[in-house]
């Protein structure tokens, strides 16, 4: 029932901000006790959890990315967003949004992913 869809530019220049939006259908992002995550996968590498926003609006970030990352939401649109500042080519990856049933549970619903390339 729950569907997630990433959207945003596929190409970002170094030093600029990567911005993506996840649109959720079939469920509310404010429903107890769900968490909504951003996850990425660089080419040839594994998945990396970036951060999440909880049903309450609280945010959580990977320590390695916290200084550059912001997650926010628009409850009226049932959307949540990712901003990754000061990007470099190492930020090139497929970016996914996903849902977690709770803080301790793994992601169960995923978007299809969107390719973002950082290049001048």
């Amino acid at each position: 029932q729950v569907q997630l869809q990433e959207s945003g530019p596929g190409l970002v220049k170094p030093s600029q901000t990567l911005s993506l939006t996840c649109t959720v259908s079939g469920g509310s992002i404010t429903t107890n006790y769900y968490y909504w995550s951003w996850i990425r996968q660089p080419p040839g590498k594994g998945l990396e959890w970036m951060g999440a926003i909880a049903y309450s609006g609280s945010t959580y970030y990977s320590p390695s990315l916290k200084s550059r990352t912001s997650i926010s939401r628009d409850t009226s649109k049932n959307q949540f967003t990712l901003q990754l500042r000061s990007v470099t080519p190492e930020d090139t990856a497929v970016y996914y949004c996903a849902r977690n049933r709770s803080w301790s549970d793994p992601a169960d619903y995923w978007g299809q992913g969107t390719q973002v390339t950082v290049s001048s």
Side-chain angles (χ1 to χ4, degrees), residues 61-113:
Y61 302 104
S62 168
S64 65
L65 296 170
K66 185 175 182 178
S67 66
R68 296 195 291 138
T69 306
S70 296
I71 298 173
S72 59
R73 68 181 184 176
D74 185 338
T75 58
S76 69
K77 297 180 179 179
N78 213 37
Q79 295 176 330
F80 63 104
T81 62
L82 170 72
Q83 292 192 319
L84 182 65
R85 299 177 291 275
S86 302
V87 299
T88 74
E90 291 188 346
D91 293 310
T92 294
V94 177
Y95 285 75
Y96 299 91
C97 55
R99 188 195 77 174
N100 305 78
R101 286 184 174 272
S102 72
W103 171 247
S104 60
D105 289 333
D108 55 357
Y109 286 94
W110 296 67
Q112 66 182 15

